[in-house]
Amino acid sequence: MTEVNEGPRVGGWTRFVTARPRLALLAALVLTVLAVLAGGGVADRMGSGGWEDPDAESSYATKALEREFPEAQPNLLLLVDAGDASVDDPAVAAEAGRLAERLAGERGVTGVGSYWQSRSPALRAEDGHEALIAARLTGDETAMGRTLDRIAPSFRGEQGVVEVRVGGPVAVRHEMQAIIQEDLLRAELIALPVTLVLLVMVFGSAVAALLPLGIGIVAILGTNAVLRGLTEFTDVSVFAMNLTTALGLGLAIDYALFIVRRFREELSTGAEPLTAVGTTLRTAGRTVLFSALTVAVSLAAMLLFPQYFLRSFAYAGIAVVLLAAAAALILLPAALVLLGHRVNSLDLRTLLRRGRPAGKRPDEEGAAWGRAATLVMRRAPFFALGTTAVLVLLGLPFLGVRFGTADDRQLPSTAESHTVQQHIREGFPGSPGGGLDVLAEGPATQAQYAAYKERVAALPEVVRVDGPLVKGDTAYFTVLPEGEAVDDPAQRLVGDLRAVDAPFDTSVTGAAAVLVDSKDALGDRIPAAAAFIVVVTLLLVFLLTGSVLIPVQAVVLNALSLTAMFGAVVWVFQDGHLSGLLGFTTTGSIETTLPVLMFCVAFGLSMDYGVFLLSRIKEEHDHGGDHEQAVRHGLQRTGGLITAAAVILAVVMVAIGTSRVTNTKMLGLGIALAVLMDAMIVRSLLVPSVMRLTGRATWWAPGPLRRFHERFGLSEGESVRTPAGTAEAAAGSDTDPDKESATGHDKETEGARDTVEARG
């Protein structure tokens, strides 16, 4: 039997989160202050690499060469510019010798070498006016960064008769880390005030607008503390800080928007604040929980990849999603109970309307979404096929994607380390640092080394083979390929080198080898990651809707909504269109891990909006409306809010996209485009048209799955069930008083709800 309660019901969770609202908010304030203290300086402990597979052959060879032959893996370069003189001028050579000697005496520096010591033509510019001093900084990324900060000022700039600029991989990573921190602060300063203005426009009330912003700040600060703790145990990429800010503001605002909107809706029907909070948590609160789970699932898929760059985004994303949901479901209800009807205070829009006609009534604005849904469903085949064709067309450039590695060209052209590497690329023969290194391990004779060197030199795409440099039973060769360091011939050469017979164990590393191994690692794990996302998403959407077809539609349409993002990424960032306007240097390729990252983030955000729309359609359907009416009402009641949430999130992502680091720019602008396409095209046109075409079959499920959903499924607007032991009790009955009350309540207050929804 179902339990019949008199009057409005307040569930156990509502009682828990509202029992001591002031105490809950005070505890949250204390925890937030502690999070600020714990998360302070987190960016300084983060790395700026992580694109390589740590278990790959190239990673093993790199570590072995760093250990046995530090001079073979220089990560610090001093570009010595002799001006109008030649680098072979005695005064220049003497000054360069003093610089190299000083550098070798610095703590944390090893393997110092230079053109003036080795006379290697690869270390001398073709015009004879520049040459290189190379060294290796020891320790982890943090230690190398501190060493660079300590020594760079004393070597940079005019040194006697020469001028010195600092470059190399360590300088690139360190400068990238500093720029990301500066850009992130600027993005926050842009996003926060703009977001607040948009929230005021959505809610009208300044009090209501501040609530989502507060939830976002709590989520961001809490995630920074989590990431700071993770840096004690594992590598975390500094790029993840951008996702923390974007999702912390975006999702927290999304969740708070829907909860505050539903709370105000319930207040407008005459409900008391505590009762309104209870209804809000049973409806919008459950949707927020499902949404958070679907986003977290998409982000968790990145944990399956070995690159710590991707894993870092999973750490940050999962933490910020769960904290945003927790804050929205715990702190926000406590604040709403205390505010009550004051949540509508300080309607700033009245200032703009003073002396002007009021304009459209709110219910008319809300009804526009219903009329749009009716139009779309009336011409469902046209909108379904037309929208699909446009999205596929926008995604076609991705068919020409070329994958590469991140390098100094991620930085702005004015960055010192970028300038150094550009001089090396354009002015030095053989592109120092762009070759392939072959590690040879095991006892061997000089004759065996010579025979192996001849076989390698005979390979296509090989320009020159240097070495071997031998230390005990270990040696290494340097192989210079034709063309660019990571282009297709260089990647083919990696496979050829690994196939050469040798009387000793060989391992190949270098930029092209790292790229090949990274692509292999991603290719091996993408099927498992995609299967994980799809299966768990299908299960969660089924639990929400009880339909077999809707989860499939959700996955397919969400994936389709990402086509424009991927097409734009290739057209803009690979092919270089708009590079002047956006201020970046194109490399002709896309870093291998970026599409995986962008898919996981954008797919999760698309599911976020999909869950909000589907849950409201399901609620209307459960209240007795027919299929088309449920779709129309669902879009009418969420269309404006989803669009507002998408615009706010897009503003945050565009602020992130103003970064001077190309990968961050690509991430921010790409996801902003995906979010807007999903909310304004897919949710508004494709979803209602497809649901109209599938008709009543949309809600079909076989008997066993239907009974499973009746027992375990949840949906927005579902009544609280008693812990009866049977499926019938768990499913409720047709005479469930809560359902009857909800249905009657909905009919009586539909006009009032439309008014509030149009505002919120």
Side-chain angles (χ1 to χ4, degrees), residues 60-81:
Y60 168 80
T62 298
K63 292 176 183 176
L65 288 171
E66 290 174 357
R67 183 178 62 252
E68 301 294 335
F69 305 98
E71 68 278 7
Q73 298 287 303
N75 54 22
L76 177 68
L77 298 175
L78 300 184
L79 180 66
V80 180
D81 186 351

Side-chain angles (χ1 to χ4, degrees), residues 270-313:
E272 292 298 317
L274 184 59
T275 303
V277 167
T279 303
T280 298
L281 289 178
R282 288 199 305 273
T283 55
R286 289 181 180 176
T287 303
V288 165
L289 181 59
F290 265 87
S291 173
L293 290 175
T294 56
V295 176
V297 163
S298 295
L299 297 173
M302 289 186 284
L303 293 173
L304 299 177
F305 296 94
Q307 293 92 336
Y308 86 73
F309 175 79
L310 288 176
R311 298 173 69 88
S312 299
F313 282 91

